[in-house]
Amino acid sequence: MPWITFVKNLVKDGSGLAFNAAGDPTAYFWVHLVLAVTSFLLGTAIGVIGFRGVRALRRAAGAPANEG
């Protein structure tokens, strides 16, 4: 899970990009945090949709065809 690792590294950043000298989060921190969270949520949602689709296909393949 590269995004989770990225957020952990972002929080520990000592280069001055994520936090200013006073220790307050910078715009860099907020933008990258939002990108990481959004990517994680979208990936999870797409994974759930895909899993439900595969389950539906398997269920449909096992059901008898209606002849009518």
Side-chain angles (χ1 to χ4, degrees):
M1 298 193 163
W3 282 112
I4 294 174
T5 303
F6 179 78
V7 170
K8 287 179 184 178
N9 291 337
L10 185 64
V11 169
K12 294 185 221 174
D13 179 58
S15 69
L17 286 174
F19 299 97
N20 62 17
D24 297 325
T26 62
Y28 177 89
F29 173 83
W30 292 114
V31 166
H32 286 83
L33 182 65
V34 168
L35 286 171
V37 170
T38 302
S39 176
F40 182 76
L41 292 176
L42 285 173
T44 301
I46 291 168
V48 168
I49 291 168
F51 179 72
R52 290 177 66 183
V54 168
R55 262 192 3 201
L57 281 174
R58 288 184 181 167
R59 199 172 17 229
N66 290 335
E67 295 181 21

